[in-house]
Amino acid sequence: MPDLTEKVVNLAKRRGFVFPSSEIYGGFRSTYDYGPLGVLLKRNVMDAWWRAMVQERDDIVGLDAAILMAPRVWEASGHLATFTDPLVDCRNCKERWRADQIGDACPKCGSHDLTEARPFNLMFKTHVGPVEDDAAVAYLRPETAQGIFVNFANVVQTSRKKPPFGIAQQGKSFRNEITPGNFIFRTREFEQMEMEFFVPPDQGQQWFEYWCEERLRWYTDLGMPAESLRLRHHDTEELSHYSAGTADVEFLYPWGWGELEGIANRTDYDLTQHAKFSGERLEYFDQASGERYVPHVIEPAAGVGRSMMAFLLAAYDEDEVAGEARTVLRLHHRLAPTKVAVLPLSRKDTLTPTAREVYDLLKVHFMCDYDETQSIGRRYRRQDEAGTPYCVTIDFETLDDKAVTIRDRDTLAQDRVSVDRLLEYLQERLSA
Ligand code: GAP
């Protein structure tokens, strides 16, 4: 599907996954809002990550650090000095570009009259408190990772974890990207899911390999086809200032292979820097061996919007049902915004009380939708487009046989199941 991106963007807008931010004012510079279905998909992506990274492991704990941090953090981390992109201006049309993303001509007007590249720091600056002077300058965090490093000692003391162990965090990050774009792939405000895994120095490489495999598997476990994923190791010139080795989990977007998540071997860089700048000891003391060391860190760092975009692209499908074209999102049931739609065949008063009872029975267990508008065929299509795995239809026979029809989004198979067994039937299929 050559125009897949356009189709997904249109569907996302039409069905309330993603809206341009401040749309009634003409939108605002590549920022987006998540609508009723989008917020559910986003939460499901984040919950699936939290479940795999924290809930199902006894060696990783969670954290939620502030977005605003002491400015010294960004001096220590190297972001103030080196978190830059090379910026060039076109002297003809005045457009600004990332030098490494264009050739020797301006992509807008074709002019070769470009300025020399100069470093442009991507951090958003603000002021804290009522005085806007240099002493009040603060930055919106460009990554969640630093909140983890500065809390290393707090977490070790309170959780009694010892290396190898990890600290996981999800939250907003901000980067003043020169050229955001491709919908929610690259935005200036975005959400990250990062985990810093602290290991004894001689175990860095083995855990780096472990996390590369583990993170790749997370995407395939959630239904992403293995052939649209790959692991790409960075060349030395490409490495970030803190990294001794990085591999990207890449997805085959319609515009080519692109980064989904980065896995970096950050060595002892961050803890050492923060120890130096703060004067605090950021080490681990192993009481059993009497050994004291600065742990090395392996970091899988994923983006929420970028993962959502990839999951939507991978799930988008068009087929034909009973001679009619349909659009369907084949999302994994854990990611699907709505798990079950309850649909009374008609709006007649005779069906409503039973349909409402079924909805009340299910809504405490799953995210459900109740829809009694339009024809049943139209309602099935709406649910297919939203990626709802199961539709439960209440018809006039239900009043006699106390059974409902369950339609499967992907196989289109219809099962007649008694209301008594309905919850068990859905739990079996949706809890895996
Ligand atoms: N702490 C390491 C770090 O932040 P990164 O590769 O710069 O590494 C990690 O970012 C992930 O965050 C990326 O793989 C991507 O999924 C997401 N991300 C980074 N910049 C983004 C942006 N401008 N818009 C959307 N997602 C972004």
Side-chain angles (χ1 to χ4, degrees):
M1 272 190 252
D3 49 354
L4 180 60
T5 310
E6 203 183 313
K7 288 181 175 188
V8 166
V9 172
N10 288 341
L11 174 74
K13 175 82 203 297
R14 189 172 75 247
R15 293 309 316 277
F17 280 91
V18 181
F19 305 125
S21 171
S22 316
E23 198 179 7
I24 59 168
Y25 291 98
F28 187 66
R29 296 164 171 258
S30 293
T31 51
Y32 292 94
D33 298 339
Y34 292 97
L37 290 179
V39 68
L40 294 172
L41 174 58
K42 180 163 165 264
R43 279 182 186 214
N44 293 342
V45 168
M46 294 171 81
D47 286 351
W49 185 91
W50 196 263
R51 178 173 157 159
M53 301 297 271
V54 181
Q55 185 183 327
E56 291 178 358
R57 302 187 64 110
D58 63 3
D59 57 354
I60 302 181
V61 291
L63 183 80
D64 190 357
I67 289 173
L68 294 172
M69 304 176 75
R72 288 275 283 168
V73 168
W74 308 112
E75 265 179 69
S77 68
H79 282 82
L80 260 180
T82 58
F83 194 56
T84 56
D85 274 341
L87 176 77
V88 291
D89 289 293
C90 170
R91 290 199 184 90
N92 182 43
C93 70
K94 312 291 177 221
E95 202 68 34
R96 292 188 151 177
W97 303 101
R98 247 177 78 173
D100 57 334
Q101 285 181 346
I102 62 169
D104 57 358
C106 169
K108 192 173 170 198
C109 70
S111 165
H112 291 267
D113 193 4
L114 305 174
T115 61
E116 282 293 301
R118 60 194 184 283
F120 171 75
N121 197 294
L122 299 183
M123 284 199 293
F124 278 102
K125 229 185 212 181
T126 187
H127 291 91
V128 174
V131 184
E132 289 198 9
D133 62 11
D134 284 352
V137 165
Y139 301 90
L140 301 187
R141 69 180 176 200
E143 61 170 21
T144 60
Q146 298 304 324
I148 296 178
F149 297 126
V150 302
N151 276 294
F152 170 76
N154 283 337
V155 174
V156 168
Q157 272 158 26
T158 53
S159 70
R160 311 193 70 76
K161 294 283 174 205
K162 55 186 232 176
F165 85 99
I167 305 176
Q169 172 165 231
Q170 304 180 325
K172 289 263 168 121
S173 292
F174 302 82
R175 294 182 192 176
N176 198 2
E177 300 280 1
I178 299 166
T179 44
N182 281 332
F183 196 42
I184 53 174
F185 176 82
R186 189 186 306 284
T187 50
R188 295 192 171 104
E189 172 180 344
F190 57 97
E191 215 134 348
Q192 288 188 307
M193 309 184 282
E194 299 197 289
M195 194 275 291
E196 310 302 320
F197 202 69
F198 300 91
V199 304
D202 59 348
Q203 293 180 19
Q205 185 57 24
Q206 106 197 31
W207 283 106
F208 175 69
E209 284 161 26
Y210 169 86
W211 280 111
C212 285
E213 290 312 311
E214 211 41 31
R215 292 305 304 150
L216 203 53
R217 197 162 60 81
W218 184 76
Y219 293 97
T220 50
D221 281 355
L222 287 170
M224 230 180 239
E227 60 277 15
S228 59
L229 291 168
R230 73 175 187 192
L231 207 59
R232 187 183 65 81
H233 288 268
H234 284 207
D235 299 331
T236 326
E237 315 84 73
E238 216 186 325
L239 293 177
S240 314
H241 59 274
Y242 51 72
S243 177
T246 296
D248 286 345
V249 176
E250 291 194 332
F251 177 73
L252 187 53
Y253 297 93
W255 56 89
W257 288 100
E259 179 182 341
L260 196 49
E261 151 160 11
I263 299 139
N265 180 350
R266 296 182 76 126
T267 66
D268 59 358
Y269 175 82
D270 302 273
L271 290 181
T272 305
Q273 285 291 101
H274 286 303
K276 201 157 95 190
F277 278 69
S278 68
E280 297 288 325
R281 256 188 166 177
L282 298 177
E283 298 169 335
Y284 181 74
F285 177 62
D286 189 338
Q287 279 179 334
S289 67
E291 210 190 338
R292 187 182 289 283
Y293 60 86
V294 181
H296 280 216
V297 171
I298 308 303
E299 171 197 69
V304 178
R306 212 171 268 197
S307 306
M308 276 180 69
M309 174 103 198
F311 280 122
L312 284 171
L313 287 163
Y316 186 96
D317 197 12
E318 292 171 356
D319 64 2
E320 214 175 82
V321 176
E324 260 189 61
R326 79 161 175 162
T327 299
V328 54
L329 281 187
R330 300 191 191 280
L331 287 169
H332 188 282
H333 59 75
R334 272 211 221 141
L335 300 183
T338 307
K339 312 298 180 198
V340 185
V342 176
L343 313 173
L345 192 61
S346 107
R347 238 170 154 164
K348 293 233 166 64
D349 290 349
T350 37
L351 292 187
T352 307
T354 312
R356 281 273 162 201
E357 265 173 44
V358 169
Y359 175 66
D360 290 343
L361 165 79
L362 299 179
K363 73 181 185 193
V364 289
H365 298 277
F366 318 105
M367 189 69 215
C368 295
D369 188 17
Y370 183 87
D371 187 5
E372 55 181 16
T373 60
Q374 301 182 313
S375 75
I376 191 72
R378 296 279 286 271
R379 281 181 277 162
Y380 281 154
R381 296 294 166 276
R382 281 179 60 76
Q383 296 299 334
D384 289 340
E385 270 194 346
T388 309
Y390 295 103
C391 287
V392 173
T393 308
I394 288 85
D395 54 28
F396 292 100
E397 271 175 52
T398 307
L399 303 178
D400 296 328
D401 68 1
K402 303 276 178 281
V404 292
T405 301
I406 306 175
R407 171 188 179 270
D408 180 301
R409 176 196 71 197
D410 295 327
T411 64
L412 298 172
Q414 304 211 355
D415 273 351
R416 192 82 185 162
V417 175
S418 83
V419 175
D420 289 349
R421 277 208 55 240
L422 177 61
L423 182 58
E424 189 190 330
Y425 178 100
L426 291 168
Q427 270 170 336
E428 265 170 27
R429 287 157 180 81
L430 291 169
S431 63

